[in-house]
Coordinates of all heavy atoms in Angstrom, one line a residue:
M1 N 0.9 -1.2 0.0 CA 0.0 0.0 0.0 C 0.9 1.2 0.0 O 1.8 1.3 0.8 CB -0.9 -0.1 1.3 CG -2.0 0.9 1.3 SD -3.2 0.6 2.6 CE -3.7 -1.0 2.4
P2 N 0.7 2.2 -0.9 CA 1.5 3.4 -0.9 C 1.3 4.2 0.3 O 0.2 4.3 0.8 CB 1.0 4.1 -2.2 CG -0.3 3.6 -2.5 CD -0.4 2.2 -1.9
A3 N 2.4 4.8 0.8 CA 2.3 5.7 1.9 C 1.6 7.0 1.6 O 1.7 7.5 0.5 CB 3.7 6.0 2.4
A4 N 0.8 7.4 2.6 CA 0.1 8.7 2.4 C 1.1 9.8 2.5 O 2.2 9.7 3.1 CB -0.9 8.9 3.6
T5 N 0.8 10.9 1.9 CA 1.7 12.1 1.8 C 1.1 13.3 2.6 O 1.9 14.2 2.9 CB 2.0 12.5 0.4 OG1 0.8 12.9 -0.2 CG2 2.7 11.4 -0.4
G6 N -0.2 13.3 2.9 CA -0.7 14.4 3.7 C -2.2 14.2 4.0 O -2.8 13.1 3.6
E7 N -2.8 15.1 4.7 CA -4.1 15.0 5.2 C -5.2 15.0 4.0 O -6.3 14.7 4.3 CB -4.5 16.1 6.2 CG -4.4 17.5 5.7 CD -4.7 18.5 6.8 OE1 -4.2 18.3 7.9 OE2 -5.3 19.5 6.4
G8 N -4.8 15.4 2.8 CA -5.7 15.3 1.7 C -5.9 13.9 1.1 O -6.7 13.7 0.3
D9 N -5.0 13.0 1.5 CA -5.1 11.6 1.0 C -6.2 10.9 1.7 O -6.4 11.0 2.9 CB -3.8 10.9 1.2 CG -2.6 11.4 0.4 OD1 -2.9 12.2 -0.6 OD2 -1.5 11.1 0.7
V10 N -7.0 10.1 0.8 CA -8.0 9.3 1.4 C -7.9 7.9 0.8 O -7.8 7.7 -0.5 CB -9.4 9.8 1.0 CG1 -10.5 8.9 1.5 CG2 -9.6 11.2 1.5
Y11 N -7.9 6.9 1.6 CA -7.9 5.5 1.2 C -9.3 5.0 1.2 O -10.0 5.1 2.2 CB -7.1 4.6 2.1 CG -5.6 4.9 2.1 CD1 -5.0 5.9 2.9 CD2 -4.8 4.2 1.2 CE1 -3.7 6.2 2.8 CE2 -3.4 4.5 1.2 CZ -2.9 5.4 2.0 OH -1.5 5.7 1.9
L12 N -9.8 4.5 0.1 CA -11.2 4.0 0.0 C -11.1 2.5 -0.2 O -10.6 2.0 -1.2 CB -11.9 4.6 -1.2 CG -13.3 4.1 -1.5 CD1 -14.3 4.3 -0.4 CD2 -13.8 4.7 -2.8
L13 N -11.7 1.8 0.7 CA -11.8 0.3 0.7 C -13.3 0.0 0.5 O -14.1 0.1 1.5 CB -11.3 -0.4 1.9 CG -9.8 -0.5 2.0 CD1 -9.1 0.8 2.2 CD2 -9.4 -1.5 3.1
S14 N -13.7 -0.3 -0.7 CA -15.1 -0.5 -1.0 C -15.3 -2.0 -1.3 O -14.8 -2.5 -2.3 CB -15.6 0.3 -2.2 OG -16.9 0.0 -2.5
A15 N -16.1 -2.6 -0.4 CA -16.4 -4.1 -0.6 C -15.2 -4.9 -0.7 O -15.0 -5.8 -1.6 CB -17.3 -4.3 -1.8
I16 N -14.2 -4.7 0.2 CA -13.0 -5.4 0.2 C -12.9 -6.3 1.4 O -12.7 -7.5 1.3 CB -11.8 -4.4 0.3 CG1 -11.7 -3.4 -0.8 CG2 -10.5 -5.2 0.5 CD1 -11.4 -4.1 -2.2
L17 N -13.1 -5.8 2.6 CA -12.9 -6.5 3.8 C -13.8 -7.7 4.1 O -13.5 -8.6 4.8 CB -12.8 -5.6 5.0 CG -11.7 -4.5 5.0 CD1 -11.9 -3.6 6.2 CD2 -10.4 -5.2 5.0
H18 N -15.0 -7.6 3.5 CA -16.0 -8.7 3.8 C -15.5 -10.0 3.1 O -16.0 -11.1 3.5 CB -17.4 -8.4 3.2 CG -17.4 -8.3 1.7 ND1 -17.2 -7.2 1.0 CD2 -17.7 -9.3 0.8 CE1 -17.3 -7.5 -0.3 NE2 -17.6 -8.7 -0.4
G19 N -14.6 -10.0 2.2 CA -14.1 -11.1 1.6 C -13.0 -11.9 2.4 O -12.4 -12.9 1.9
F20 N -12.7 -11.4 3.6 CA -11.6 -11.9 4.4 C -12.0 -12.3 5.8 O -12.9 -11.6 6.3 CB -10.4 -10.9 4.4 CG -9.8 -10.6 3.1 CD1 -10.2 -9.4 2.4 CD2 -8.9 -11.4 2.6 CE1 -9.6 -9.1 1.2 CE2 -8.3 -11.1 1.3 CZ -8.7 -10.0 0.6
D21 N -11.3 -13.2 6.3 CA -11.6 -13.6 7.7 C -11.1 -12.5 8.6 O -10.4 -11.5 8.2 CB -11.0 -14.9 8.1 CG -9.5 -15.0 7.9 OD1 -8.8 -13.9 8.0 OD2 -8.9 -16.1 7.7
D22 N -11.4 -12.5 9.9 CA -11.0 -11.4 10.8 C -9.5 -11.2 10.9 O -9.0 -10.1 10.9 CB -11.6 -11.7 12.2 CG -13.1 -11.5 12.3 OD1 -13.7 -11.0 11.4 OD2 -13.6 -11.9 13.4
E23 N -8.8 -12.3 10.9 CA -7.3 -12.2 11.0 C -6.7 -11.5 9.8 O -5.9 -10.5 10.0 CB -6.7 -13.6 11.1 CG -5.2 -13.6 11.3 CD -4.6 -15.0 11.4 OE1 -5.3 -15.9 11.8 OE2 -3.4 -15.1 11.0
T24 N -7.1 -11.8 8.6 CA -6.6 -11.2 7.4 C -7.1 -9.7 7.3 O -6.3 -8.8 6.9 CB -7.0 -12.0 6.2 OG1 -6.6 -13.3 6.3 CG2 -6.4 -11.4 4.9
A25 N -8.4 -9.5 7.6 CA -8.9 -8.1 7.6 C -8.2 -7.2 8.6 O -7.9 -6.1 8.2 CB -10.4 -8.1 7.9
T26 N -7.8 -7.8 9.7 CA -7.1 -7.0 10.7 C -5.7 -6.7 10.2 O -5.2 -5.5 10.3 CB -7.0 -7.8 12.0 OG1 -8.3 -8.0 12.5 CG2 -6.1 -7.0 13.0
R27 N -5.1 -7.6 9.5 CA -3.7 -7.4 8.9 C -3.8 -6.3 7.8 O -3.0 -5.4 7.8 CB -3.2 -8.7 8.3 CG -1.7 -8.6 8.0 CD -1.1 -9.9 7.7 NE -1.8 -10.7 6.7 CZ -2.4 -11.9 7.0 NH1 -2.4 -12.4 8.2 NH2 -3.0 -12.6 6.1
I28 N -4.9 -6.3 7.0 CA -5.1 -5.3 6.0 C -5.2 -3.9 6.7 O -4.6 -2.9 6.2 CB -6.3 -5.6 5.1 CG1 -6.0 -6.8 4.3 CG2 -6.7 -4.4 4.3 CD1 -7.2 -7.4 3.6
L29 N -6.0 -3.8 7.7 CA -6.3 -2.6 8.4 C -5.0 -2.1 9.1 O -4.7 -0.9 9.1 CB -7.4 -2.7 9.4 CG -8.8 -2.9 8.8 CD1 -9.8 -3.2 9.9 CD2 -9.2 -1.6 8.1
R30 N -4.2 -3.0 9.6 CA -2.9 -2.6 10.2 C -2.0 -2.0 9.1 O -1.3 -1.0 9.4 CB -2.2 -3.7 10.9 CG -2.8 -4.0 12.2 CD -2.0 -5.0 13.0 NE -2.7 -5.3 14.3 CZ -3.0 -6.5 14.7 NH1 -2.6 -7.6 14.0 NH2 -3.6 -6.7 15.9
N31 N -1.9 -2.6 8.0 CA -1.1 -2.1 6.9 C -1.6 -0.7 6.4 O -0.8 0.2 6.1 CB -1.1 -3.0 5.7 CG -0.3 -4.3 5.9 OD1 0.5 -4.3 6.8 ND2 -0.6 -5.3 5.1
L32 N -2.9 -0.5 6.5 CA -3.6 0.7 6.1 C -3.1 1.8 7.2 O -2.7 2.9 6.8 CB -5.1 0.6 6.1 CG -5.9 1.9 5.9 CD1 -5.5 2.5 4.5 CD2 -7.4 1.6 5.9
A33 N -3.2 1.5 8.4 CA -2.8 2.4 9.5 C -1.3 2.8 9.3 O -0.9 3.9 9.5 CB -3.1 1.8 10.9
D34 N -0.5 1.8 9.0 CA 1.0 2.1 8.8 C 1.1 3.0 7.6 O 2.0 3.9 7.6 CB 1.7 0.8 8.5 CG 1.9 -0.1 9.8 OD1 1.7 0.5 10.9 OD2 2.2 -1.3 9.6
A35 N 0.4 2.8 6.5 CA 0.5 3.7 5.3 C 0.0 5.1 5.7 O 0.6 6.1 5.2 CB -0.4 3.1 4.2
I36 N -1.0 5.2 6.5 CA -1.5 6.6 6.9 C -0.5 7.2 7.9 O -0.2 8.4 7.7 CB -2.9 6.5 7.5 CG1 -3.9 6.1 6.5 CG2 -3.2 7.8 8.2 CD1 -5.3 5.8 7.0
G37 N 0.1 6.4 8.8 CA 1.0 7.0 9.7 C 0.5 8.2 10.5 O -0.7 8.2 10.9
D38 N 1.3 9.3 10.6 CA 0.8 10.5 11.3 C 0.6 11.6 10.3 O 0.7 12.8 10.6 CB 1.8 10.9 12.3 CG 3.2 11.2 11.7 OD1 3.4 11.0 10.5 OD2 4.1 11.6 12.5
T39 N 0.2 11.3 9.0 CA 0.0 12.3 8.0 C -1.3 13.0 8.1 O -1.5 14.0 7.4 CB 0.1 11.6 6.6 OG1 -1.0 10.6 6.5 CG2 1.4 10.9 6.4
G40 N -2.3 12.4 8.8 CA -3.6 13.0 8.9 C -4.5 12.6 7.7 O -5.6 13.0 7.6
A41 N -4.0 11.6 6.9 CA -4.9 11.0 5.9 C -6.0 10.3 6.5 O -6.0 10.0 7.7 CB -4.0 10.1 5.0
S42 N -7.0 10.0 5.6 CA -8.3 9.4 6.1 C -8.4 8.0 5.4 O -7.9 7.8 4.3 CB -9.5 10.2 5.8 OG -9.4 11.5 6.4
A43 N -9.3 7.2 6.0 CA -9.7 5.9 5.4 C -11.2 5.9 5.4 O -11.8 6.3 6.4 CB -9.1 4.8 6.1
A44 N -11.8 5.4 4.3 CA -13.3 5.2 4.2 C -13.5 3.8 3.9 O -12.9 3.2 2.9 CB -13.9 6.2 3.2
L45 N -14.4 3.1 4.7 CA -14.7 1.7 4.4 C -16.2 1.7 4.0 O -17.0 2.2 4.7 CB -14.5 0.9 5.7 CG -13.2 1.0 6.3 CD1 -13.2 0.1 7.6 CD2 -12.1 0.5 5.4
L46 N -16.5 1.1 2.9 CA -17.8 0.9 2.4 C -18.1 -0.6 2.4 O -17.5 -1.3 1.6 CB -18.0 1.4 1.0 CG -18.3 2.9 0.9 CD1 -17.2 3.8 1.4 CD2 -18.7 3.3 -0.5
E47 N -18.9 -1.1 3.3 CA -19.2 -2.5 3.4 C -20.7 -2.7 3.8 O -21.3 -1.8 4.4 CB -18.3 -3.1 4.5 CG -16.9 -3.2 4.2 CD -16.5 -4.3 3.2 OE1 -17.4 -5.1 2.8 OE2 -15.3 -4.3 2.8
L48 N -21.2 -3.9 3.5 CA -22.5 -4.2 3.9 C -22.5 -4.4 5.5 O -21.5 -4.9 6.0 CB -22.9 -5.6 3.3 CG -24.2 -6.2 3.8 CD1 -25.4 -5.4 3.2 CD2 -24.3 -7.7 3.3
V49 N -23.5 -3.9 6.1 CA -23.7 -4.0 7.6 C -24.9 -4.8 7.8 O -26.0 -4.3 7.5 CB -23.7 -2.7 8.3 CG1 -23.9 -2.8 9.8 CG2 -22.4 -1.9 8.0
L50 N -24.8 -6.0 8.4 CA -25.9 -6.8 8.8 C -26.6 -6.3 10.1 O -25.9 -5.7 10.9 CB -25.5 -8.2 9.0 CG -25.0 -9.1 7.9 CD1 -24.6 -10.5 8.3 CD2 -26.1 -9.2 6.8
P51 N -27.9 -6.5 10.2 CA -28.6 -6.1 11.5 C -28.0 -7.0 12.6 O -27.6 -8.1 12.3 CB -30.0 -6.4 11.2 CG -30.2 -6.9 9.8 CD -28.8 -7.0 9.2
E52 N -28.1 -6.5 13.8 CA -27.6 -7.2 15.0 C -28.4 -8.5 15.2 O -27.8 -9.5 15.6 CB -27.6 -6.4 16.2 CG -26.7 -5.2 16.2 CD -25.2 -5.5 16.2 OE1 -24.8 -6.6 16.7 OE2 -24.5 -4.7 15.7
T53 N -29.7 -8.5 14.9 CA -30.5 -9.7 15.0 C -31.5 -9.7 13.8 O -31.7 -8.8 13.2 CB -31.4 -9.6 16.3 OG1 -32.2 -8.4 16.3 CG2 -30.5 -9.6 17.6
H54 N -31.9 -10.9 13.6 CA -32.9 -11.2 12.5 C -32.5 -10.7 11.1 O -33.2 -9.9 10.5 CB -34.3 -10.5 12.9 CG -34.8 -10.9 14.3 ND1 -35.1 -12.2 14.6 CD2 -35.0 -10.2 15.4 CE1 -35.5 -12.3 15.8 NE2 -35.4 -11.1 16.4
A55 N -31.4 -11.1 10.7 CA -30.9 -10.7 9.3 C -32.0 -11.2 8.3 O -32.5 -12.3 8.5 CB -29.6 -11.3 9.1
D56 N -32.2 -10.4 7.3 CA -33.1 -10.8 6.3 C -32.5 -11.9 5.4 O -31.3 -12.2 5.5 CB -33.6 -9.6 5.4 CG -32.4 -8.9 4.7 OD1 -31.3 -9.5 4.7 OD2 -32.7 -7.9 4.1
L57 N -33.2 -12.5 4.5 CA -32.8 -13.6 3.7 C -31.6 -13.2 2.9 O -30.6 -14.0 2.8 CB -33.9 -14.2 2.9 CG -33.6 -15.4 2.0 CD1 -33.1 -16.5 2.9 CD2 -34.8 -15.8 1.2
S58 N -31.6 -12.1 2.2 CA -30.5 -11.7 1.4 C -29.2 -11.5 2.2 O -28.1 -11.9 1.7 CB -30.9 -10.4 0.5 OG -31.1 -9.3 1.4
G59 N -29.3 -10.8 3.3 CA -28.1 -10.6 4.2 C -27.5 -12.0 4.6 O -26.3 -12.2 4.6
A60 N -28.4 -12.9 5.1 CA -28.0 -14.2 5.6 C -27.4 -15.0 4.4 O -26.4 -15.7 4.6 CB -29.1 -14.9 6.2
S61 N -28.0 -14.9 3.3 CA -27.4 -15.6 2.1 C -26.1 -15.1 1.7 O -25.2 -15.8 1.4 CB -28.4 -15.5 0.9 OG -29.6 -16.1 1.2
F62 N -25.9 -13.8 1.7 CA -24.6 -13.1 1.4 C -23.6 -13.6 2.4 O -22.4 -13.9 2.0 CB -24.8 -11.6 1.4 CG -23.5 -10.9 1.1 CD1 -23.0 -10.9 -0.2 CD2 -22.8 -10.3 2.0 CE1 -21.9 -10.2 -0.6 CE2 -21.6 -9.6 1.7 CZ -21.1 -9.6 0.4
D63 N -23.9 -13.6 3.7 CA -23.0 -14.1 4.7 C -22.5 -15.5 4.5 O -21.4 -15.8 4.5 CB -23.6 -13.9 6.1 CG -22.7 -14.1 7.2 OD1 -21.4 -13.9 7.0 OD2 -23.1 -14.5 8.3
M64 N -23.5 -16.4 4.1 CA -23.1 -17.8 3.9 C -22.2 -17.9 2.6 O -21.3 -18.7 2.6 CB -24.4 -18.6 3.7 CG -25.1 -18.9 5.0 SD -24.1 -19.7 6.3 CE -23.8 -21.2 5.5
Q65 N -22.6 -17.1 1.6 CA -21.8 -17.1 0.4 C -20.3 -16.7 0.6 O -19.4 -17.3 0.2 CB -22.4 -16.2 -0.7 CG -21.7 -16.2 -2.0 CD -22.4 -15.3 -3.0 OE1 -22.8 -14.3 -2.7 NE2 -22.5 -15.8 -4.2
M66 N -20.2 -15.7 1.5 CA -18.8 -15.2 1.8 C -18.1 -16.3 2.6 O -16.9 -16.5 2.3 CB -18.9 -13.9 2.7 CG -19.3 -12.7 1.9 SD -18.1 -12.2 0.7 CE -18.6 -13.0 -0.8
L67 N -18.7 -16.9 3.5 CA -18.1 -18.0 4.3 C -17.7 -19.1 3.5 O -16.5 -19.6 3.6 CB -19.0 -18.4 5.4 CG -18.5 -19.5 6.3 CD1 -17.3 -19.1 7.1 CD2 -19.6 -20.0 7.3
V68 N -18.5 -19.6 2.6 CA -18.2 -20.8 1.8 C -17.2 -20.5 0.7 O -16.3 -21.3 0.5 CB -19.6 -21.4 1.2 CG1 -19.3 -22.4 0.2 CG2 -20.5 -21.9 2.3
N69 N -17.3 -19.4 0.0 CA -16.5 -19.1 -1.1 C -15.2 -18.4 -0.8 O -14.2 -18.5 -1.6 CB -17.3 -18.3 -2.2 CG -18.4 -19.1 -2.8 OD1 -18.3 -20.3 -2.9 ND2 -19.5 -18.5 -3.0
T70 N -15.1 -17.6 0.2 CA -13.9 -16.8 0.4 C -13.3 -16.9 1.8 O -12.3 -16.3 2.1 CB -14.2 -15.3 0.2 OG1 -15.1 -14.8 1.2 CG2 -14.8 -15.1 -1.2
R71 N -14.0 -17.5 2.7 CA -13.7 -17.5 4.2 C -13.9 -16.2 4.8 O -13.5 -15.9 5.9 CB -12.2 -17.9 4.4 CG -11.9 -19.3 4.0 CD -12.7 -20.3 4.9 NE -11.9 -21.5 5.0 CZ -12.5 -22.6 5.6 NH1 -13.7 -22.5 6.1 NH2 -11.8 -23.7 5.7
G72 N -14.5 -15.3 4.1 CA -14.9 -14.0 4.6 C -16.2 -14.1 5.3 O -16.8 -15.2 5.5
R73 N -16.8 -12.9 5.6 CA -18.1 -12.9 6.3 C -18.7 -11.5 6.2 O -18.0 -10.5 6.2 CB -17.9 -13.3 7.7 CG -17.0 -12.4 8.5 CD -16.7 -12.8 9.9 NE -17.9 -12.7 10.7 CZ -18.0 -13.0 12.0 NH1 -16.9 -13.4 12.6 NH2 -19.1 -12.9 12.6
A74 N -20.0 -11.5 6.2 CA -20.7 -10.2 6.4 C -20.7 -10.0 7.9 O -20.7 -10.9 8.7 CB -22.1 -10.4 5.8
R75 N -20.7 -8.7 8.3 CA -20.6 -8.4 9.7 C -21.7 -7.4 10.2 O -22.1 -6.6 9.4 CB -19.2 -7.9 10.0 CG -18.1 -8.8 9.8 CD -16.7 -8.2 9.9 NE -15.6 -9.1 9.8 CZ -15.0 -9.4 8.7 NH1 -15.4 -8.9 7.5 NH2 -14.0 -10.3 8.7
T76 N -22.0 -7.5 11.4 CA -22.9 -6.5 12.0 C -22.1 -5.3 12.4 O -20.8 -5.3 12.3 CB -23.5 -7.1 13.3 OG1 -22.5 -7.3 14.3 CG2 -24.3 -8.4 13.1
R77 N -22.8 -4.2 12.8 CA -22.1 -3.0 13.2 C -21.1 -3.3 14.3 O -20.0 -2.8 14.3 CB -23.1 -1.9 13.6 CG -22.5 -0.6 14.0 CD -23.5 0.4 14.3 NE -22.8 1.6 14.8 CZ -23.4 2.8 14.9 NH1 -24.6 2.9 14.6 NH2 -22.7 3.8 15.3
T78 N -21.6 -4.0 15.3 CA -20.7 -4.4 16.4 C -19.5 -5.1 16.0 O -18.4 -4.9 16.5 CB -21.5 -5.2 17.5 OG1 -22.7 -4.4 17.9 CG2 -20.7 -5.6 18.7
Q79 N -19.7 -6.0 15.1 CA -18.5 -6.8 14.6 C -17.5 -5.9 13.8 O -16.3 -6.1 13.9 CB -19.0 -8.0 13.7 CG -19.7 -9.1 14.5 CD -20.4 -10.1 13.7 OE1 -20.9 -9.7 12.6 NE2 -20.5 -11.3 14.2
W80 N -18.1 -5.0 13.0 CA -17.2 -4.1 12.3 C -16.4 -3.2 13.3 O -15.2 -2.9 13.1 CB -18.0 -3.2 11.3 CG -18.3 -3.9 10.0 CD1 -19.6 -4.2 9.6 CD2 -17.4 -4.4 9.0 NE1 -19.5 -4.9 8.4 CE2 -18.1 -5.0 8.0 CE3 -16.0 -4.3 8.9 CZ2 -17.6 -5.5 6.9 CZ3 -15.4 -4.9 7.8 CH2 -16.2 -5.5 6.8
Q81 N -17.1 -2.7 14.3 CA -16.5 -1.8 15.2 C -15.4 -2.6 16.0 O -14.3 -2.0 16.2 CB -17.5 -1.3 16.2 CG -18.4 -0.2 15.6 CD -19.5 0.2 16.5 OE1 -20.0 -0.6 17.3 NE2 -19.9 1.5 16.5
S82 N -15.6 -3.8 16.3 CA -14.6 -4.6 17.0 C -13.4 -4.9 16.1 O -12.3 -4.8 16.5 CB -15.2 -6.0 17.4 OG -14.3 -6.8 18.0
L83 N -13.7 -5.1 14.8 CA -12.6 -5.4 13.8 C -11.7 -4.1 13.7 O -10.5 -4.2 13.7 CB -13.2 -5.8 12.5 CG -12.2 -6.2 11.4 CD1 -11.5 -7.5 11.8 CD2 -12.9 -6.3 10.1
V84 N -12.4 -3.0 13.5 CA -11.6 -1.7 13.3 C -11.0 -1.3 14.5 O -9.9 -0.8 14.6 CB -12.6 -0.6 12.7 CG1 -11.9 0.7 12.6 CG2 -13.1 -1.1 11.3

């Protein structure tokens, strides 16, 4: 990941982290934090957020598809906050 050069830099991760297990996603986020360093750059994550309870059929199906095909997972807000 290229190093940020200033506070105007923004790293956009759109539909990336859901394809990875927690360990790999954490490693990606650590690399991102290292690239940002103390430059003041920002990171934006765009990901599906499952409800905490009673996921609808499409969300549950997406979660199963991620688990079976990529070892990734769809996550709830609480799970995303814990990961980040």
Side-chain angles (χ1 to χ4, degrees):
M1 193 170 302
T5 59
E7 64 184 36
D9 291 344
V10 177
Y11 292 88
L12 173 62
L13 281 72
S14 178
I16 301 292
L17 297 177
H18 71 269
F20 296 98
D21 59 27
D22 287 350
E23 182 181 333
T24 305
T26 299
R27 192 167 52 248
I28 292 167
L29 291 171
R30 283 189 183 131
N31 288 340
L32 176 62
D34 288 345
I36 290 173
D38 60 358
T39 63
S42 301
L45 306 178
L46 275 62
E47 292 285 353
L48 174 72
V49 179
L50 291 179
E52 296 292 334
T53 59
H54 307 296
D56 62 7
L57 182 59
S58 64
S61 296
F62 181 73
D63 190 25
M64 288 302 296
Q65 184 179 39
M66 288 293 92
L67 178 63
V68 170
N69 293 324
T70 68
R71 295 295 209 189
R73 59 186 293 185
R75 295 172 175 92
T76 65
R77 180 179 178 165
T78 301
Q79 291 168 327
W80 280 115
Q81 288 173 325
S82 176
L83 184 68
V84 173

